[in-house]
Amino acid sequence: MTTYLNIDEVNLKENNAYWTAREIEQQPLSWRKALKVVQGNNAQIMHFLSPLLMQKDLRIILTGAGTSAYVGDALAPHLSHKTGKLFSAVSTTDIVASPELYLQKKTPTLLISYARSGNSPESIAAVKLADEVVDNCFHLVITCNPEGELALGTNHNDNAFSLIMPEETLDQSFAMTSSYTSMLV
């Protein structure tokens, strides 16, 4: 009999808890897979990021919609401390509502977008607004959905790179579990 979190699968399905339990339990394996995705794409990531990170005045914004925005909230202080660069966490809702407060035309900007599905209207709008407002805008998309509009929309763009998390991180449950933690990793 299959169990997740020591609860049998039948019981979980009867109580509409199957996907949540499965996704909570799969996290340690998903984290290792996410790390392998990063390691497997390290050369391409560095090729994309290295020239950007050498820019003295580069602005780095970590963004997402809903729970995905919390990835940026959690990482910005740590990344600023580790790199000596200023990372800001700004939700896509804030960018879309008041782009003039967060996007500066003459300041080169790297927008790092976290997205489980990559189809949130505000995430898509934030990327488009950033491209419209900022003269030198670049995008790193970290998503769990290779078919999402963010991943597809930034594919084959010189100013963008998409990093796709392992397949099982495209959560089916109500709560974001392995999608959130894998993007954080």
Side-chain angles (χ1 to χ4, degrees), residues 55-98:
Q55 295 183 40
K56 184 175 89 168
D57 57 346
L58 179 70
R59 176 136 193 240
I60 306 168
I61 300 173
L62 308 177
T63 194
T67 302
S68 296
Y70 299 144
V71 177
D73 290 339
L75 287 176
H78 173 74
L79 292 173
S80 292
H81 176 74
K82 290 297 270 185
T83 66
K85 298 210 173 276
L86 181 59
F87 286 77
S88 302
V90 181
S91 73
T92 56
T93 310
D94 289 340
I95 293 171
V96 171
S98 302

Side-chain angles (χ1 to χ4, degrees), residues 15-101:
N15 289 289
N16 296 319
Y18 170 77
W19 285 111
T20 302
R22 179 176 166 176
E23 290 162 2
I24 289 169
E25 189 170 294
Q26 78 186 12
Q27 288 182 99
L29 179 58
S30 296
W31 301 336
R32 288 190 288 277
K33 288 181 177 180
L35 181 58
K36 285 183 181 181
V37 167
V38 172
Q39 291 169 335
N41 287 280
N42 191 52
Q44 298 94 322
I45 294 168
M46 294 313 296
H47 177 76
F48 177 71
L49 289 179
S50 291
L52 300 178
L53 295 174
M54 292 175 67
Q55 295 183 40
K56 184 175 89 168
D57 57 346
L58 179 70
R59 176 136 193 240
I60 306 168
I61 300 173
L62 308 177
T63 194
T67 302
S68 296
Y70 299 144
V71 177
D73 290 339
L75 287 176
H78 173 74
L79 292 173
S80 292
H81 176 74
K82 290 297 270 185
T83 66
K85 298 210 173 276
L86 181 59
F87 286 77
S88 302
V90 181
S91 73
T92 56
T93 310
D94 289 340
I95 293 171
V96 171
S98 302
E100 70 282 357
L101 297 179

Side-chain angles (χ1 to χ4, degrees), residues 5 13 26 42 51 88 94 110 124 140 145 151 165 171:
L5 304 176
K13 287 180 178 178
Q26 78 186 12
N42 191 52
S88 302
D94 289 340
L110 172 61
I124 297 159
L140 173 59
N145 185 5
M165 293 292 97
D171 293 331

Side-chain angles (χ1 to χ4, degrees), residues 18 36 56 62 65 87 97 113 116 138 141 162 164 172 180:
Y18 170 77
K36 285 183 181 181
K56 184 175 89 168
L62 308 177
F87 286 77
S113 298
R116 174 175 60 175
F138 305 91
V141 172
S162 293
I164 311 299
Q172 303 295 312
Y180 173 85

Side-chain angles (χ1 to χ4, degrees), residues 127-143:
V127 167
K128 289 179 181 175
L129 272 170
D131 279 336
E132 290 172 13
V133 172
V134 180
D135 287 342
N136 293 306
C137 192
F138 305 91
H139 302 278
L140 173 59
V141 172
I142 301 173
T143 183

Side-chain angles (χ1 to χ4, degrees), residues 143-172:
T143 183
C144 303
N145 185 5
E147 302 301 319
E149 193 169 335
L150 276 182
L152 296 175
T154 55
N155 236 358
H156 309 298
N157 287 352
D158 291 338
N159 72 330
F161 185 83
S162 293
L163 188 63
I164 311 299
M165 293 292 97
E167 181 179 350
E168 73 272 6
T169 65
L170 184 54
D171 293 331
Q172 303 295 312

